[in-house]
Amino acid sequence: MLPGMDTAVNDFLNDLRPRVAGDLRSDIYTRTLYSTDASLYQVMPYGVLFPRHADDMQAAIEAAAKYRVPILPRAGGSSLAGQTVNTALVLDTSRWLDQILEINVEESWARVQPGIVLDAFNAALKPHNLQFGPDPASSNRAGLGGIVSNNATGSHSIVYGMTADHVLEMQVLLDDGTPAHFRPLDGDELRQHMAKDGREGEIYRAVATLIGDDANRQIVRAGTPRHWRRCGGYNLARFIHDGTIDHYLPQDSRFNLANLVCGAEGTLAAITELKLKLVERPKLAVLAIIEFPTLLASLEVVPEILETQPTAVVN
Ligand SMILES: Cc1cc2nc3c(=O)[nH]c(=O)nc-3n(C[C@H](O)[C@H](O)[C@H](O)COP(=O)(O)OP(=O)(O)OC[C@H]3O[C@@H](n4cnc5c(N)ncnc54)[C@H](O)[C@@H]3O)c2cc1C
């Protein structure tokens, strides 16, 4: 038995190893490497799986459910609050699941795997004069699976909003390993999904009931901060489109469980594929530098600067 691991974890790893094509590592060296991310936390994982394809992730999640061992999806590991360290099996998607599957230039969307790094994605989009809107400063290492799961954004959030505003659809694995395709559903389609057997139907029924209840909607309204740049907690506010929380209406207000997975930090489902909205690259970039005697003085004029409609204001 591996030191520091209980029998269930050893049985889990032994059961899983022959079922995956990717490397499954539980040596102390690998575990130590993956015990840190960009945060100040350090927690030793049980092991690390480098899935070769979504089937490996599915096998890991099915076995994890059987042995009741936590799993932790990871992309670039650039999270700042310990999101990718835990006593769990880490699923590192950055090694193999980092491909662009399709770019649709005419309709401005792309399908990608969760491990692709944002800068690499944008480099492939550049010849088409397209890019992914949100621009977290970690774009040279952060992967789209992590960016979506943290609902990240960057200095151009004034024009592009949050990552959740740019996620159209996703392929995920639920907590028992069931694959599901989360996409916008109209009323009839939602009812069909709610009638499904198994974990997927259960989730559609639970979320639709939860968010359909007036008392619950009141709780979501009361508990949601009134600013749009928010990424804490589950994204239930994105299911309420009556102007009481956000004053702008989303382009597509149909029921889409992808909204809930954005910002869920890997706790609700493991993403195996994303369909992302793309934006046109800016035609021109202009930089204005203003000097201020104090930090406070620079902050005080931000409202005035915003009236000039900049794409970013950096202090
Ligand atoms: C130098 C630096 C600058 C940064 N700048 C910004 C910034 O400008 N704006 C900003 O918003 N953030 C910023 N961040 C933090 C930012 O949130 C992360 O960089 C980025 O969102 C995470 O990407 P990642 O690939 O490293 O994800 P990871 O850290 O690997 O994972 C992030 C979360 O996503 C989950 N996850 C990963 N893959 C999957 C998957 N396939 N399925 C389900 N869940 C998954 C993980 O479990 C974790 O909870 C910065 C961080 C650093 C270190």
Side-chain angles (χ1 to χ4, degrees):
M1 191 159 100
L2 287 163
M5 290 201 200
D6 64 26
T7 322
V9 174
N10 272 290
D11 290 348
F12 162 65
L13 294 173
N14 290 335
D15 187 342
L16 181 60
R17 194 160 272 119
R19 296 174 56 194
V20 288
D23 264 6
L24 174 58
R25 299 206 190 145
S26 51
D27 58 280
I28 195 79
Y29 175 73
T30 306
R31 290 170 61 211
T32 304
L33 279 179
Y34 281 80
S35 67
T36 59
D37 56 10
S39 72
L40 46 71
Y41 300 103
Q42 184 165 18
V43 185
M44 197 67 134
Y46 294 133
V48 182
L49 173 65
F50 300 92
R52 279 274 179 177
H53 36 60
D55 290 352
D56 280 358
M57 287 176 75
Q58 186 173 12
I61 294 171
E62 281 172 358
K66 178 176 162 194
Y67 291 94
R68 302 199 61 75
V69 172
I71 55 113
L72 180 57
R74 174 166 171 147
S78 66
S79 283
L80 298 166
Q83 287 98 317
T84 53
V85 290
N86 215 330
T87 44
L89 175 73
V90 173
L91 307 180
D92 183 349
T93 59
S94 68
R95 183 161 299 178
W96 302 113
L97 297 180
D98 62 348
Q99 300 300 305
I100 298 173
L101 304 171
E102 186 180 357
I103 298 176
N104 187 319
V105 177
E106 246 171 49
E107 295 175 15
S108 300
W109 55 257
R111 288 192 304 116
V112 299
Q113 291 184 316
I116 185 163
V117 170
L118 178 54
D119 276 1
F121 182 38
N122 278 334
L125 295 171
K126 196 173 177 184
H128 306 292
N129 198 30
L130 292 169
Q131 64 177 28
F132 184 65
D135 55 344
S138 50
S139 62
N140 65 351
R141 61 205 65 208
L144 264 307
I147 290 170
V148 167
S149 299
N150 278 349
N151 195 10
T153 189
S155 56
H156 293 89
S157 61
I158 300 173
V159 275
Y160 300 128
M162 308 291 294
T163 289
D165 299 311
H166 299 262
V167 176
L168 298 169
E169 300 178 16
M170 55 175 69
Q171 301 282 353
V172 298
L173 295 164
L174 305 178
D175 64 344
D176 62 352
T178 305
H181 179 191
F182 289 164
R183 62 182 176 85
L185 302 176
D186 61 27
D188 280 347
E189 286 175 313
L190 175 58
R191 277 185 286 280
Q192 282 163 18
H193 279 71
M194 287 169 72
K196 278 188 178 180
D197 287 334
R199 196 76 178 117
E200 193 183 357
E202 202 182 317
I203 289 170
Y204 273 103
R205 285 192 293 280
V207 179
T209 309
L210 184 137
I211 209 65
D213 178 86
D214 276 345
N216 288 338
R217 292 166 81 87
Q218 233 2 74
I219 294 169
V220 174
R221 283 189 192 100
T224 305
R226 292 301 189 268
H227 58 84
W228 56 263
R229 195 172 160 148
R230 46 170 200 260
C231 59
Y234 291 135
N235 252 333
L236 288 166
R238 284 190 181 260
F239 291 83
I240 301 180
H241 308 299
D242 56 9
T244 52
I245 298 175
D246 291 310
H247 297 300
Y248 64 94
L249 286 177
Q251 282 178 354
D252 189 341
S253 57
R254 286 175 294 171
F255 189 96
N256 186 352
L257 280 183
N259 279 319
L260 201 55
V261 178
C262 292
E265 296 181 355
T267 58
L268 296 181
I271 301 164
T272 54
E273 191 183 309
L274 289 157
K275 182 176 173 186
L276 303 167
K277 199 194 293 180
L278 306 172
V279 298
E280 229 180 86
R281 289 177 67 82
K283 289 188 178 60
L284 292 170
V286 177
L287 176 69
I289 301 172
I290 314 172
E291 281 184 35
F292 292 91
T294 62
L295 177 65
L296 193 60
S298 72
L299 294 173
E300 277 169 352
V301 296
V302 169
E304 265 173 75
I305 295 174
L306 286 176
E307 281 173 27
T308 67
Q309 299 188 330
T311 55
V313 183
V314 183
N315 274 84

